[in-house]
């Protein structure tokens, strides 16, 4: 079942625009939070208490930022996951991920009134030791979109492909970072829930220096471990 045209257009707008991140559903699960020192940072940072701030690329520094916070362990469906929440400027979006030896897996995301579930989970990042220029990975997930009442509003297939294009030094308001430049390409049968092509800058032990939505890192509440900065 695919989403009706009007619903599909509404969902697409909500998923694509940072300005519309407020139009997303909250997780229908209770978060079990623990206390983790922010000095304890993983290769793919997700440790409870970590926080990042971002501004849209090209926007003047000093504007109200978007805030990304690692919220900790929760349950998404029947799966134990880690939750990460983005807020600011009316935005409210939560991602549900697992982290293991194979990499980072996205199981779904919530916006007010909308839940997007991915089965099998979408592989966002590879194994820690796999990184190199020219590395690529791809996959396919079945997408189920539910409303706040849990009713299915649309179903389809999402196909993704990632390519590590470069390793270079970049400067942002948060400092200078040695980033992996990654291009991701996405298509789906739901009318385009995500942009077809986006670029991400990732730095180990720091996180996304540039997000797929074009947000640049401006600050964080922790110090990167060795390998996080040049």
């Amino acid at each position: 079942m695919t989403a009706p045209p009007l619903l599909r257009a509404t969902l697409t707008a909500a998923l694509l625009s940072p300005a519309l991140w407020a139009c997303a559903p909250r997780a229908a699960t209770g978060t079990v939070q623990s206390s983790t020192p922010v000095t304890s940072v993983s290769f793919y940072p997700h440790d409870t208490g970590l926080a990042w701030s971002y501004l849209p690329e090209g926007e003047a520094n000093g504007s109200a930022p978007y805030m990304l916070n690692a919220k900790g362990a929760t349950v998404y469906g029947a799966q134990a996951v880690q939750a990460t929440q983005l807020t600011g400027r009316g935005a409210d979006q939560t991602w549900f991920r697992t982290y293991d030896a194979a990499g980072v897996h996205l199981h779904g995301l919530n916006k007010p009134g909308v839940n997007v579930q991915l089965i099998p989970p979408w592989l966002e990042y590879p194994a820690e030791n796999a990184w190199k220029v020219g590395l690529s990975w791809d996959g396919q997930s079945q997408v189920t979109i539910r409303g706040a009442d849990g009713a299915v509003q649309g179903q389809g297939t999402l196909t993704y492909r990632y390519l590590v294009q470069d390793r270079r030094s970049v400067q942002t308001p948060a400092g200078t970072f040695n980033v992996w430049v990654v291009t991701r390409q996405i298509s789906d049968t739901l009318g385009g829930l995500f942009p077809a092509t986006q670029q991400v800058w990732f730095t180990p032990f720091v996180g996304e220096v540039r997000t797929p939505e074009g947000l640049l890192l401006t600050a964080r509440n922790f110090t990167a471990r060795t390998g996080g900065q040049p």
Side-chain angles (χ1 to χ4, degrees):
M1 177 177 75
T2 59
L6 179 59
L7 171 63
R8 184 168 64 241
T10 302
L11 291 171
T12 300
L15 287 166
L16 302 192
S17 173
L20 294 179
W21 278 340
C23 304
R26 299 181 181 276
T29 53
T31 299
V32 179
Q33 297 196 20
S34 60
S35 176
T36 301
V38 294
T39 53
S40 175
V41 182
S42 304
F43 183 93
Y44 292 118
H46 61 278
D47 314 273
T48 306
L50 299 185
W52 303 256
S53 63
Y54 292 90
L55 285 176
E57 190 171 11
E59 188 170 299
N61 197 15
S63 302
Y66 291 99
M67 297 300 303
L68 184 68
N69 293 274
K71 306 300 288 185
T74 187
V75 176
Y76 183 74
Q79 176 71 49
V81 296
Q82 297 289 322
T84 308
Q85 183 181 28
L86 183 83
T87 57
R89 304 189 186 189
D92 187 356
Q93 177 164 318
T94 302
W95 292 266
F96 302 99
R97 299 180 170 100
T98 52
Y99 302 78
D100 59 27
V104 181
H105 312 268
L106 177 64
H107 294 255
L109 59 92
N110 270 351
K111 293 172 173 288
V114 181
N115 173 265
V116 180
Q117 185 177 29
L118 302 159
I119 301 176
W122 169 351
L123 181 62
E124 291 185 297
Y125 287 115
E128 296 178 12
N129 62 359
W131 284 93
K132 64 179 180 179
V133 174
L135 174 69
S136 66
W137 67 95
D138 54 48
Q140 192 172 82
S141 298
Q142 297 304 306
V143 183
T144 300
I145 301 170
R146 292 184 174 86
D149 60 357
V152 175
Q153 298 181 345
Q155 291 181 309
T157 301
L158 179 145
T159 301
Y160 58 87
R161 183 178 187 275
Y162 286 76
L163 174 64
V164 181
Q165 293 189 305
D166 196 9
R167 172 82 157 162
R168 66 172 182 253
S169 179
V170 300
Q171 187 169 2
T172 79
T176 301
F177 300 94
N178 196 14
V179 304
W180 293 103
V181 179
V182 183
T183 296
R184 76 177 194 187
Q185 296 176 305
I186 304 172
S187 62
D188 63 65
T189 60
L190 287 159
L193 291 180
F194 299 87
T197 303
Q198 293 173 298
Q199 188 177 90
V200 184
W201 299 346
F202 171 75
T203 296
F205 307 108
V206 172
E208 290 181 347
V209 175
R210 183 187 191 277
T211 74
E213 297 81 16
L215 301 179
L216 288 180
L217 182 67
T218 58
R220 64 188 190 278
N221 71 341
F222 60 95
T223 300
R225 289 172 48 188
T226 300
Q229 290 182 285

